[in-house]
Amino acid sequence: VCSSRGGEKVKHGCCCCRKKCLLLSDVVLITATLLTGLSRTAKSFEMILVGRFLEGIAAGRTPPTPCAW
């Protein structure tokens, strides 16, 4: 995941810029939403737990990125 200090970009792992980090967070959030939404169809309570966990990760990662952009 990427992080930023001031105007300096810091590279960690697969990302190299803020736009890619935002897109990665969006993919995680969409996956979490699909898991949570399809849990009733699959009759699986565990899918809700995993979806909520991923939503928390995406929500925790998203706010600092747009502020720095």
Side-chain angles (χ1 to χ4, degrees), residues 2-12 18 68:
C2 295
S3 61
S4 176
R5 289 181 288 188
E8 176 187 352
K9 294 179 193 173
V10 181
K11 184 175 178 180
H12 298 289
R18 293 180 190 118

Side-chain angles (χ1 to χ4, degrees), residues 5-55:
R5 289 181 288 188
E8 176 187 352
K9 294 179 193 173
V10 181
K11 184 175 178 180
H12 298 289
C14 64
C15 294
C16 62
C17 62
R18 293 180 190 118
K19 185 175 181 180
K20 288 183 183 179
C21 287
L22 282 171
L23 290 174
L24 182 63
S25 289
D26 289 342
V27 168
V28 172
L29 189 57
I30 289 170
T31 303
T33 304
L34 286 173
L35 279 173
T36 305
L38 295 174
S39 64
R40 179 174 283 177
T41 306
K43 297 180 181 175
S44 173
F45 180 72
E46 292 81 10
M47 287 175 66
I48 294 174
L49 295 177
V50 172
R52 291 296 300 226
F53 178 74
L54 289 175
E55 286 173 359

